[in-house]
Amino acid sequence: MPDIGIIGAGVAGLHLGLLLRRHDIPVTLYSDRTPARIATGPLPATVAHHAPTLRREAALGVGFWPADTYGYTCHHHYVGGPRPLTFRGDFTSPSCGVDHRLVLPALTDVFQDRGGELRTGRVAADEVARLAARHDLLVVATGRGPLANLFPRLDGPGSATAPRRLLRAGLYHGVEPAEPKGVTLSLAPGRGELIEIPFYSRHGHVTALLFECVPGGGADALCALDQRADPAAFDRAVRAELAAHHPTVFARTDPARFGLTGPLDLVRTAIVPTVRADWAALPGGRYALALGDAHTVVDPIVGQGANTASYSAEVVADAVLEDPVLDELFCRRVARRRAEVVLGAAHWSELMLRPPGHVRQLLGAMSECRSAADEFTDNFGRPDRQWRLVATPERTRAFLARHGVLPG
């Protein structure tokens, strides 16, 4: 029976560890943070799990936040401009937004309860060879630090050399959920996007606001504000941005209650979309396999990072069960099996950051065709299918024609 080492205890590493332990495969998970430190630390991101990920978690016995209580059923769209568009698309099965400071420690506890070994402490790049000698396969599931550099960056779609957006995300009181309960995707052309998510955190049911700010577009002023220096001024600036550019969300804010849930519930970052090689050869004939952010880093504009990480973990686990010879052929098989979904998500995410004409036309068409909007929304759980619909003008026209929308 192979022995697997996994560096990184996010969704990718934990889902892989749980999937393997379900079959009693020895797994050691290396994390740079203890579960307690994650639980009490700053907001890592505002993450939604779509239906395929929720089904995977339920099958693993870790569906602790069922979608019928904690989830949402649709996307509300607002596209600003001289003639604003508003429309809705429904899921066939709901998605769910839960703070990863709750999720990751809970999954880590289950992993250990089921016989997985957890080792905490930062793994340096010069320790990789030593760890590889302990395991039949080393999986790198963290994009932080130098370990990701084991896997060469690949040029092409999905890879950039600079951030497309500056990100400012936080959790807030005082925003009434949309009706029906759903995410709002609000676009302010030239300025950026707002993703509003019904979210569950240690404060209970709250609202996550993720501002995707175009560098130099004006909204990036939010990224420069020091919330701790003047919390009230920060809250006013957020409401002012909502009022001016995201009116459907602003209309649901209560000025008497609106405010950040706490100073640790705010994150500022910038992500460089990156696609890396799937594997790397290590000394001694062993291999390192890239997983999650070590493989692809995507901007959160369409919420694919954690979901494709979970999917990729399942592909790896299935491959280990089918073929315990963990050599280069094994790595190539994993790469082929996951490419359409994982790279489809990377390509789709990059496209939405710089939407070409046919994508802008698609948004307009969906505002008048509910069936097209529903299918587009449901495909957030199927990024491979979504990419096939939006990759080229011809494919988008065929998608709309199938829904009875004529060109133009």
Side-chain angles (χ1 to χ4, degrees):
M1 184 175 291
D3 183 291
I4 311 297
I6 304 170
I7 303 174
V11 165
L14 282 165
H15 280 199
L16 177 58
L18 289 166
L19 287 161
L20 294 172
R21 286 304 306 151
R22 186 165 61 176
H23 299 277
D24 294 324
I25 293 174
V27 182
T28 302
L29 189 66
Y30 300 90
S31 176
D32 62 352
R33 295 171 296 167
T34 65
R37 184 179 170 194
I38 293 171
T40 59
L43 179 71
T46 54
V47 179
H49 288 195
H50 299 309
T53 302
L54 296 178
R55 287 192 289 268
R56 197 170 294 117
E57 290 174 331
L60 285 168
V62 294
F64 302 130
W65 297 274
D68 57 358
T69 301
Y70 300 93
Y72 57 90
T73 62
C74 65
H75 284 173
H76 300 273
H77 298 263
Y78 174 83
V79 183
R83 301 167 67 180
L85 304 175
T86 57
F87 60 96
R88 187 180 106 211
D90 289 348
F91 295 118
T92 56
S93 297
S95 296
C96 197
V98 178
D99 195 329
H100 271 193
R101 291 173 294 183
L102 301 177
V103 173
L104 300 182
L107 268 59
T108 303
D109 287 345
V110 174
F111 171 76
Q112 292 180 281
D113 289 344
R114 295 178 182 174
E117 182 180 357
L118 175 68
R119 296 194 176 192
T120 56
R122 186 174 297 277
V123 176
D126 59 5
E127 296 180 86
V128 168
R130 177 180 60 81
L131 293 182
R134 293 190 60 217
H135 303 288
D136 298 299
L137 178 70
L138 193 63
V139 179
V140 179
T142 175
R144 293 194 301 268
L147 290 179
N149 293 332
L150 285 169
F151 312 100
R153 179 184 175 278
L154 304 179
D155 293 326
S159 279
T161 57
R164 304 295 196 201
R165 297 289 189 272
L166 305 178
L167 308 178
R168 189 69 148 169
L171 307 183
Y172 295 84
H173 293 302
V175 184
E176 288 297 315
E179 181 59 39
K181 190 177 180 182
V183 158
T184 296
L185 305 174
S186 182
L187 282 63
R191 191 173 183 90
E193 300 80 26
L194 169 70
I195 303 170
E196 176 222 359
I197 308 172
F199 211 69
Y200 188 76
S201 79
R202 56 193 172 194
H203 304 286
H205 291 280
V206 297
T207 299
L209 299 178
L210 167 59
F211 290 94
E212 294 252 350
C213 308
V214 173
D220 52 349
L222 290 175
C223 298
L225 293 178
D226 183 352
Q227 186 272 341
R228 292 176 184 266
D230 194 337
F234 180 82
D235 292 343
R236 287 194 299 270
V238 171
R239 286 195 79 238
E241 182 70 18
L242 296 176
H245 302 285
H246 306 288
T248 62
V249 176
F250 176 76
R252 292 185 275 108
T253 62
D254 178 355
R257 296 178 53 238
F258 183 83
L260 195 71
T261 54
L264 289 177
D265 300 333
L266 185 68
V267 61
R268 171 175 52 198
T269 189
I271 291 173
V272 181
T274 305
V275 176
R276 296 188 180 92
D278 287 82
W279 76 89
L282 299 175
R286 303 292 172 88
Y287 286 84
L289 186 68
L291 185 71
D293 285 350
H295 182 217
T296 58
V297 178
V298 297
D299 187 279
I301 190 165
V302 288
Q304 293 301 306
N307 294 282
T308 55
S310 174
Y311 169 82
S312 188
E314 186 171 57
V315 170
V316 174
D318 288 346
V320 170
L321 294 171
E322 293 170 10
D323 182 2
V325 181
L326 306 179
D327 56 6
E328 183 176 342
L329 178 59
F330 167 87
C331 295
R332 290 185 181 276
R333 289 175 59 240
V334 167
R336 286 195 304 271
R337 289 186 179 188
R338 68 185 180 182
E340 193 168 10
V341 169
V342 176
L343 297 184
H347 298 165
W348 172 36
S349 299
E350 183 74 356
L351 187 79
M352 298 306 291
L353 291 168
R354 293 185 172 182
H358 72 278
V359 172
R360 296 194 297 271
Q361 291 169 359
L362 171 63
L363 294 172
M366 289 191 298
S367 71
E368 299 180 357
C369 181
R370 180 60 180 275
S371 64
D374 286 348
E375 182 175 346
F376 180 85
T377 300
D378 206 46
N379 281 346
F380 274 65
R382 287 292 306 273
D384 52 333
R385 184 179 295 171
Q386 192 83 301
W387 176 239
R388 290 196 295 270
L389 299 183
V390 300
T392 65
E394 293 77 14
R395 287 181 171 274
T396 300
R397 283 197 295 269
F399 164 62
L400 291 175
R402 179 156 50 79
H403 288 276
V405 180
L406 298 176

